[in-house]
Protein backbone atom coordinates (compact mmCIF):
# COMPACT_ATOMS: atom_id res chain seq x y z
CA UNK A 1 0.00 0.00 0.00
CA UNK A 2 1.55 3.26 -1.04
CA UNK A 3 1.54 6.10 1.43
CA UNK A 4 1.08 9.67 0.37
CA UNK A 5 2.77 12.05 2.74
CA UNK A 6 1.61 15.62 2.65
CA UNK A 7 3.55 18.47 4.20
CA UNK A 8 3.19 20.62 6.03
CA UNK A 9 0.20 19.29 7.92
CA UNK A 10 -0.86 22.80 8.92
CA UNK A 11 0.04 26.16 7.40
CA UNK A 12 -1.11 29.57 8.54
CA UNK A 13 -0.05 32.60 6.52
CA UNK A 14 -1.00 36.21 5.89
CA UNK A 15 -2.91 37.34 2.84
CA UNK A 16 -0.56 38.13 -0.02
CA UNK A 17 2.12 35.60 0.90
CA UNK A 18 3.23 32.76 -1.34
CA UNK A 19 3.27 29.14 -0.24
CA UNK A 20 4.10 25.67 -1.41
CA UNK A 21 2.70 22.39 -0.15
CA UNK A 22 4.04 18.99 -0.97
CA UNK A 23 2.81 15.49 -1.67
CA UNK A 24 5.44 12.76 -1.55
CA UNK A 25 5.54 9.00 -1.91
CA UNK A 26 7.94 6.18 -2.62
CA UNK A 27 5.51 4.84 -5.20
CA UNK A 28 5.13 5.79 -8.84
CA UNK A 29 1.77 7.15 -9.85
CA UNK A 30 0.03 6.91 -13.18
CA UNK A 31 -1.91 10.02 -12.25
CA UNK A 32 -2.17 12.36 -9.31
CA UNK A 33 -4.96 14.71 -8.37
CA UNK A 34 -5.23 17.69 -6.09
CA UNK A 35 -8.50 18.38 -4.32
CA UNK A 36 -9.58 21.19 -2.03
CA UNK A 37 -12.01 20.52 0.80
CA UNK A 38 -13.78 23.15 2.86
CA UNK A 39 -15.24 22.34 6.29
CA UNK A 40 -18.43 20.31 6.08
CA UNK A 41 -18.15 19.83 2.33
CA UNK A 42 -16.83 17.23 -0.06
CA UNK A 43 -13.45 17.44 -1.81
CA UNK A 44 -13.49 19.42 -5.05
CA UNK A 45 -11.15 18.39 -7.84
CA UNK A 46 -8.62 21.09 -8.75
CA UNK A 47 -6.32 19.38 -11.22
CA UNK A 48 -5.01 16.08 -12.56
CA UNK A 49 -1.37 15.59 -13.53
CA UNK A 50 -0.28 12.62 -15.57
CA UNK A 51 3.09 13.25 -17.21
CA UNK A 52 6.35 13.37 -15.25
CA UNK A 53 7.56 16.98 -15.01
CA UNK A 54 4.16 18.33 -15.96
CA UNK A 55 3.23 21.80 -14.74
CA UNK A 56 -0.35 23.02 -14.69
CA UNK A 57 -1.59 26.45 -13.74
CA UNK A 58 -5.00 27.31 -12.37
CA UNK A 59 -5.07 31.08 -11.85
CA UNK A 60 -2.78 31.66 -8.86
CA UNK A 61 -2.23 27.93 -8.28
CA UNK A 62 0.66 26.09 -9.92
CA UNK A 63 0.80 22.30 -9.76
CA UNK A 64 3.89 20.31 -10.60
CA UNK A 65 4.32 16.57 -11.01
CA UNK A 66 7.78 15.25 -10.25
CA UNK A 67 9.88 13.86 -13.06
CA UNK A 68 9.73 10.38 -11.54
CA UNK A 69 5.98 10.70 -10.90
CA UNK A 70 6.43 10.03 -7.19
CA UNK A 71 5.73 13.48 -5.88
CA UNK A 72 3.88 16.69 -6.55
CA UNK A 73 3.75 20.23 -5.31
CA UNK A 74 1.15 22.95 -5.20
CA UNK A 75 2.31 26.55 -5.17
CA UNK A 76 -0.08 29.39 -4.42
CA UNK A 77 0.92 32.93 -5.31
CA UNK A 78 -0.44 35.88 -3.35
CA UNK A 79 -2.70 33.77 -1.15
CA UNK A 80 -6.16 35.08 -0.33
CA UNK A 81 -8.51 34.22 2.55
CA UNK A 82 -10.68 32.37 0.03
CA UNK A 83 -7.82 29.90 -0.45
CA UNK A 84 -8.35 28.65 3.10
CA UNK A 85 -9.14 24.94 3.15
CA UNK A 86 -7.79 21.42 3.28
CA UNK A 87 -5.66 20.57 0.24
CA UNK A 88 -5.64 16.87 -0.52
CA UNK A 89 -3.54 14.96 -2.98
CA UNK A 90 -4.68 11.59 -4.29
CA UNK A 91 -2.66 9.24 -6.42
CA UNK A 92 -3.39 6.24 -8.60
CA UNK A 93 -0.60 3.70 -8.18
CA UNK A 94 1.16 2.72 -11.39
CA UNK A 95 1.77 -0.79 -10.04
CA UNK A 96 -1.56 -1.87 -8.70
CA UNK A 97 -4.04 0.82 -9.78
CA UNK A 98 -4.85 1.48 -6.16
CA UNK A 99 -5.97 5.03 -5.43
CA UNK A 100 -5.21 6.68 -2.09
CA UNK A 101 -5.64 10.07 -0.52
CA UNK A 102 -3.05 11.88 1.54
CA UNK A 103 -4.01 13.30 4.92
CA UNK A 104 -3.98 16.83 3.54
CA UNK A 105 -2.49 20.21 4.30
CA UNK A 106 -4.79 22.51 6.22
CA UNK A 107 -4.18 26.04 4.98
CA UNK A 108 -5.39 29.15 6.75
CA UNK A 109 -4.93 32.51 5.06
CA UNK A 110 -5.47 35.40 7.41
CA UNK A 111 -6.66 38.75 6.10
CA UNK B 1 -23.22 22.56 -13.50
CA UNK B 2 -24.03 18.91 -12.73
CA UNK B 3 -23.30 17.82 -9.21
CA UNK B 4 -23.51 14.86 -6.90
CA UNK B 5 -26.22 15.28 -4.30
CA UNK B 6 -26.50 13.45 -1.01
CA UNK B 7 -29.20 13.04 1.61
CA UNK B 8 -29.51 13.38 4.50
CA UNK B 9 -26.91 16.01 5.27
CA UNK B 10 -26.82 14.87 8.88
CA UNK B 11 -28.23 11.79 10.59
CA UNK B 12 -28.11 10.90 14.26
CA UNK B 13 -28.84 7.31 15.15
CA UNK B 14 -28.61 4.91 18.04
CA UNK B 15 -26.00 2.17 18.05
CA UNK B 16 -27.35 -0.98 16.43
CA UNK B 17 -29.80 0.82 14.18
CA UNK B 18 -29.82 0.56 10.41
CA UNK B 19 -28.94 3.61 8.37
CA UNK B 20 -29.38 4.29 4.66
CA UNK B 21 -27.47 7.11 3.03
CA UNK B 22 -28.60 8.25 -0.39
CA UNK B 23 -26.79 9.72 -3.33
CA UNK B 24 -27.71 10.92 -6.78
CA UNK B 25 -24.57 10.77 -8.93
CA UNK B 26 -23.96 12.93 -11.99
CA UNK B 27 -26.27 11.59 -14.67
CA UNK B 28 -23.78 10.59 -17.37
CA UNK B 29 -21.29 9.05 -14.97
CA UNK B 30 -20.87 5.30 -14.89
CA UNK B 31 -18.76 4.70 -11.78
CA UNK B 32 -19.98 5.35 -8.28
CA UNK B 33 -18.16 5.36 -4.98
CA UNK B 34 -18.54 5.74 -1.28
CA UNK B 35 -15.80 7.23 0.84
CA UNK B 36 -15.77 8.13 4.48
CA UNK B 37 -13.85 10.64 6.53
CA UNK B 38 -13.70 10.34 10.27
CA UNK B 39 -13.36 13.78 11.84
CA UNK B 40 -9.82 15.07 11.36
CA UNK B 41 -8.67 11.99 9.50
CA UNK B 42 -8.02 10.89 5.92
CA UNK B 43 -10.57 10.38 3.21
CA UNK B 44 -10.91 6.58 3.07
CA UNK B 45 -12.20 4.48 0.21
CA UNK B 46 -15.10 2.16 0.99
CA UNK B 47 -16.48 0.77 -2.24
CA UNK B 48 -16.81 1.28 -5.97
CA UNK B 49 -19.76 0.25 -8.09
CA UNK B 50 -20.01 -0.23 -11.81
CA UNK B 51 -22.50 -1.92 -14.09
CA UNK B 52 -24.77 -2.73 -11.15
CA UNK B 53 -22.21 -4.54 -9.11
CA UNK B 54 -19.41 -3.87 -6.67
CA UNK B 55 -16.13 -3.61 -8.56
CA UNK B 56 -13.85 -2.99 -5.62
CA UNK B 57 -14.13 -2.68 -1.85
CA UNK B 58 -11.79 -1.90 0.99
CA UNK B 59 -11.24 -3.78 4.23
CA UNK B 60 -13.50 -1.23 5.94
CA UNK B 61 -16.45 -2.35 3.83
CA UNK B 62 -17.40 -5.42 5.85
CA UNK B 63 -20.65 -7.40 6.00
CA UNK B 64 -22.38 -4.56 7.83
CA UNK B 65 -22.20 -2.44 4.70
CA UNK B 66 -24.06 -2.83 1.43
CA UNK B 67 -24.66 -0.69 -1.62
CA UNK B 68 -27.47 -0.63 -4.09
CA UNK B 69 -28.58 1.23 -7.17
CA UNK B 70 -32.31 0.62 -6.90
CA UNK B 71 -33.26 2.73 -9.92
CA UNK B 72 -31.54 4.71 -12.65
CA UNK B 73 -30.57 7.60 -10.45
CA UNK B 74 -30.08 6.73 -6.77
CA UNK B 75 -27.05 5.04 -5.24
CA UNK B 76 -27.41 4.03 -1.61
CA UNK B 77 -25.13 2.94 1.20
CA UNK B 78 -26.70 0.85 3.95
CA UNK B 79 -25.14 0.18 7.32
CA UNK B 80 -27.08 -2.66 8.92
CA UNK B 81 -26.19 -2.31 12.57
CA UNK B 82 -24.32 0.89 13.28
CA UNK B 83 -21.41 1.04 15.69
CA UNK B 84 -19.98 4.04 17.48
CA UNK B 85 -16.93 3.93 15.22
CA UNK B 86 -19.15 4.34 12.14
CA UNK B 87 -19.57 8.00 13.07
CA UNK B 88 -18.04 9.89 10.17
CA UNK B 89 -18.73 11.99 7.13
CA UNK B 90 -19.75 9.73 4.26
CA UNK B 91 -19.06 11.03 0.78
CA UNK B 92 -20.56 9.73 -2.42
CA UNK B 93 -18.57 10.31 -5.59
CA UNK B 94 -18.99 9.54 -9.25
CA UNK B 95 -16.77 9.56 -12.30
CA UNK B 96 -17.05 9.07 -16.03
CA UNK B 97 -14.24 6.57 -16.11
CA UNK B 98 -12.81 4.18 -13.57
CA UNK B 99 -11.10 6.21 -10.82
CA UNK B 100 -8.08 4.00 -11.32
CA UNK B 101 -7.64 5.47 -14.81
CA UNK B 102 -7.64 9.16 -14.05
CA UNK B 103 -8.63 9.50 -10.40
CA UNK B 104 -10.99 12.33 -11.27
CA UNK B 105 -13.83 12.05 -8.82
CA UNK B 106 -16.75 14.37 -8.28
CA UNK B 107 -17.84 14.36 -4.67
CA UNK B 108 -21.11 15.19 -3.02
CA UNK B 109 -21.23 17.42 0.03
CA UNK B 110 -21.40 14.46 2.35
CA UNK B 111 -23.72 12.94 4.91
CA UNK B 112 -22.61 13.31 8.49
CA UNK B 113 -23.49 10.21 10.50
CA UNK B 114 -23.43 10.40 14.28
CA UNK B 115 -23.90 7.15 16.16
CA UNK B 116 -24.80 7.49 19.84
Amino acid sequence: TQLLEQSPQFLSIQEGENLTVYCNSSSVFSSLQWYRQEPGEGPVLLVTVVTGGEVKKLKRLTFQFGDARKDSSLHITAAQPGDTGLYLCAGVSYNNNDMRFGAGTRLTVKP
Amino acid sequence: EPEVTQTPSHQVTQMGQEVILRCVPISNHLYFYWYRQILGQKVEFLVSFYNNEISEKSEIFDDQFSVERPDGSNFTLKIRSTKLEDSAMYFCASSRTDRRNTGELFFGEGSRLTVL
Side-chain angles (χ1 to χ4, degrees):
Chain A
T1 302
Q2 84 277 15
L3 288 176
L4 277 148
E5 302 284 344
Q6 290 193 245
S7 61
Q9 190 177 356
F10 298 97
L11 184 58
S12 181
I13 61 170
Q14 292 295 134
E15 182 176 3
E17 292 183 6
N18 301 332
L19 67 114
T20 303
V21 298
Y22 300 93
C23 175
N24 295 302
S25 176
S26 58
S27 300
V28 176
F29 298 109
S30 54
S31 69
L32 189 142
Q33 298 74 40
W34 284 91
Y35 291 82
R36 184 170 134 223
Q37 184 180 21
E38 298 193 35
E41 297 185 10
V44 175
L45 178 68
L46 297 174
V47 78
T48 299
V49 286
V50 177
T51 306
E54 184 176 4
V55 176
K56 282 191 173 178
K57 289 183 184 289
L58 188 67
K59 298 183 181 177
R60 293 176 293 101
L61 277 61
T62 301
F63 304 86
Q64 185 158 10
F65 201 15
D67 291 340
R69 294 187 300 170
K70 293 182 178 181
D71 53 81
S72 182
S73 63
L74 158 59
H75 181 81
I76 302 179
T77 304
Q80 299 175 0
D83 295 328
T84 293
L86 180 67
Y87 288 83
L88 298 162
C89 67
V92 179
S93 169
Y94 180 79
N95 288 332
N96 61 13
N97 268 349
D98 194 18
M99 180 186 173
R100 300 281 176 176
F101 278 82
T105 291
R106 190 165 296 281
L107 172 66
T108 302
V109 182
K110 293 180 271 191
Chain B
E1 188 174 318
E3 59 181 18
V4 177
T5 58
Q6 290 186 241
T7 55
S9 57
H10 189 191
Q11 180 153 358
V12 181
T13 190
Q14 294 290 325
M15 191 169 57
Q17 294 295 305
E18 176 182 285
V19 161
I20 297 176
L21 306 178
R22 292 182 169 81
C23 169
V24 179
I26 294 173
S27 62
N28 63 348
H29 285 186
L30 301 176
Y31 296 81
F32 315 115
Y33 313 89
W34 285 99
Y35 283 78
R36 80 171 185 191
Q37 188 177 32
I38 295 170
L39 187 64
Q41 297 188 24
K42 284 186 183 185
V43 175
E44 298 175 296
F45 170 71
L46 293 178
V47 67
S48 60
F49 193 86
Y50 170 72
N51 200 26
N52 283 321
E53 61 182 22
I54 290 173
S55 52
E56 192 185 356
K57 60 182 180 179
S58 72
E59 59 274 12
I60 302 169
F61 194 87
D62 61 23
D63 292 344
Q64 292 298 313
F65 291 90
S66 62
V67 289
E68 197 177 34
R69 187 158 159 84
D71 52 42
S73 59
N74 290 290
F75 179 50
T76 62
L77 174 68
K78 181 192 291 186
I79 309 175
R80 281 192 193 82
S81 177
T82 50
K83 304 186 288 287
L84 294 176
E85 53 265 37
D86 293 328
S87 294
M89 197 76 157
Y90 287 81
F91 292 107
C92 174
S94 68
S95 62
R96 284 177 295 177
T97 62
D98 191 325
R99 70 184 184 127
R100 294 170 297 183
N101 288 342
T102 64
E104 293 186 346
L105 303 175
F106 293 83
F107 285 85
E109 293 202 339
S111 293
R112 180 170 297 286
L113 176 64
T114 303
V115 182
L116 303 175

